[in-house]
Structures are given as C-alpha cells and as structure tokens.
Amino acid sequence: MEDKLKKWGFQDNNGIENTQRIRIGGMMIKLKENLREDDQRPTISLGLGDPSCFQCFKTCPVSEDEIVESIRSAKFNL
C-alpha cells in the first residue's frame, strides 16, 4: 500500500477517521450555521429531495415530449 501511495503522490490523511462520522444532517446544520443573516438571497433546502417546487428547476419541453411519446407507443408496457 505504501508503494502505491508514493507512486501516485498521495500521503496518508490521519484525520480521515473523524470525517467518516459526519452525517448529512450534521453537514446541513454546519451549512446553515455559516449562512449570513444579512444575505437576502433565497436558499434551496438540500434536504428536500424534490427540487420541482422551485421555479428554477423546470423540465425541458423535449424531455416532456419524449416521455409522452414513450407512454403512447406502449413499447415499454411490461
């Protein structure tokens, strides 16, 4: 293992054990703690999972048309 690390120029990171314990919820708290209160820009909750309720995430018409076409074709009815 040591030879492979040297070959690629990597070195051991002794602090990696602590970072493996960070969960998504903990990271979300850390992100929220670092938001500035005077910043009026809207934020999108990363924990929501479904971005479709935000206007900036729209499906393009080409994708919608392809979905409708595949449904009407009945080729994918299993």
Side-chain angles (χ1 to χ4, degrees), residues 52-67:
S52 62
C53 63
F54 300 100
Q55 292 180 354
C56 60
F57 293 104
K58 295 196 179 224
T59 305
C60 67
V62 173
S63 297
E64 293 172 352
D65 293 341
E66 291 298 322
I67 291 169

Side-chain angles (χ1 to χ4, degrees), residues 5 11 25 62 65 71:
L5 292 175
Q11 56 188 351
V62 173
D65 293 341
I71 292 170

Side-chain angles (χ1 to χ4, degrees), residues 17-31:
E17 292 84 21
N18 294 333
T19 60
Q20 291 175 346
R21 294 188 190 115
I22 296 174
R23 302 278 187 243
I24 292 173
M27 189 56 65
M28 294 297 298
I29 291 169
K30 195 175 206 78
L31 286 170

